[in-house]
Amino acid sequence: MKIEIFENYEQMSRAAAETIARTVQAAPFPVLGLATGSTPLGAYRNLIEMCGAGVLSFKNVRTVNLDEYVGLGEESAQSYAAFMEKNLFSHIDIDRENTNLPDGKAEDPQAECERYSQLLKGMPRDLQLLGLGSDGHIGFNEPYTPFGSRTHIAELAESTIRDNSRLFGDISEVPRRAITMGIADITEAKKILLLACGANKARAVYDMVKGGIDEKCPASILQKHPDAVIMIDREAAQLL
Ligand code: GLP
């Protein structure tokens, strides 16, 4: 695990975008695992700028997202499908056919998990981008999710519902379940890039880096990954 600490969010975001851009440029048909949440927004803005300036192209890139709320589709502003469209896909030269998210509106969410697992098998990721939950979750793999888990329906922890309620009108509107890549799916990526910023992530960052490898902190599994890069700002690093 390589830890990189940045003075501020802008510097972290720039470095993250450069790492992603290098991955895209290094493979003829790159596969990126993408994440939602506030943390990667700066990195996405930098990628959009690079694409606009003509120094980066997503023409040959395929993407696969980590997760989606059960019950939400692209028409709902809080869905991760809408998030990706608004914050990245609509601003870059990617072919929408090459973008993938779990379908939160699938009639049979369990069958959707199986479809997504099959899809992941055929899409080995060159890089998986991750945020970090304040409880140490990655994707929606909450504490005590088995490290061997595959795509599944996750019950959101109360703390996650609270954290994510800021993006909904009312906490009662936050879905209680999500379809998420499992931890084994995530760690199969060749390279992992995890971003975390702000003091409310400091405890989770500490557990991820300094705690033992333990299912109570899902992100701690990254200690075992051969190429995991952790980019954090000073505030998130304050307990290290
Ligand atoms: C959500 C997502 C995670 C994300 C986390 C942190 O729960 N499922 O993938 O990493 O939130 O979000 P933020 O970056 O907004 O703090």
Side-chain angles (χ1 to χ4, degrees):
M1 203 180 222
K2 191 168 153 222
I3 320 289
E4 297 181 15
I5 300 171
F6 295 88
E7 242 1 274
N8 55 45
Y9 180 72
E10 284 65 38
Q11 288 177 17
M12 180 194 80
S13 299
R14 180 81 208 164
E18 281 164 3
T19 298
I20 297 167
R22 274 196 299 277
T23 302
V24 168
Q25 285 156 345
F29 297 100
V31 180
L32 297 179
L34 295 179
T36 53
S38 313
T39 314
L41 282 173
Y44 289 160
R45 276 195 293 271
N46 277 278
L47 290 172
I48 292 166
E49 268 174 39
M50 291 177 196
C51 199
V55 293
L56 184 67
S57 171
F58 287 81
K59 274 212 168 72
N60 294 327
V61 175
R62 290 186 297 151
T63 68
V64 65
N65 259 77
L66 280 170
D67 46 16
E68 179 62 282
Y69 290 112
V70 170
L72 299 193
E74 203 177 332
E75 68 292 343
S76 126
Q78 287 85 9
S79 71
Y80 286 166
F83 174 101
M84 291 309 299
E85 187 58 27
K86 177 172 172 221
N87 295 302
L88 186 65
F89 298 152
S90 63
H91 307 284
I92 58 175
D93 60 344
I94 198 160
D95 180 347
R96 296 300 196 293
E97 296 275 294
N98 290 336
T99 66
N100 299 277
L101 282 102
D103 179 2
K105 293 286 279 273
E107 228 165 80
D108 179 349
Q110 193 48 52
E112 176 59 7
C113 291
E114 277 140 39
R115 180 193 74 84
Y116 213 66
S117 282
Q118 283 308 316
L119 180 83
L120 293 177
K121 275 191 196 151
M123 293 183 69
R125 275 133 287 142
D126 295 296
L127 180 145
Q128 176 66 56
L129 181 62
L130 295 174
L132 181 67
S134 61
D135 61 358
H137 75 229
I138 45 178
F140 268 125
N141 294 283
E142 298 285 18
Y144 300 105
T145 304
F147 284 149
S149 56
R150 295 289 173 182
T151 304
H152 63 282
I153 301 166
E155 302 286 333
L156 274 51
E158 279 307 316
S159 59
T160 301
I161 293 170
R162 256 195 326 273
D163 285 352
N164 292 4
S165 67
R166 68 185 195 281
L167 305 168
F168 289 79
D170 185 89
I171 193 162
S172 63
E173 290 167 25
V174 184
R176 269 34 189 178
R177 297 189 308 155
I179 297 177
T180 182
M181 272 189 207
I183 296 177
D185 297 318
I186 291 172
T187 51
E188 269 169 14
K190 228 187 271 169
K191 184 180 191 78
I192 303 272
L193 174 58
L194 183 142
L195 309 179
C197 57
N200 68 322
K201 300 291 172 73
R203 182 77 226 173
V205 165
Y206 176 87
D207 290 342
M208 164 176 70
V209 174
K210 299 270 188 194
I213 300 177
D214 191 317
E215 287 177 351
K216 77 171 191 268
C217 178
S220 66
I221 191 67
L222 302 179
Q223 292 177 30
K224 273 201 349 207
H225 193 280
D227 187 8
V229 179
I230 312 296
M231 294 187 177
I232 53 181
D233 71 354
R234 287 240 164 262
E235 289 190 345
Q238 65 187 236
L239 298 179
L240 295 184

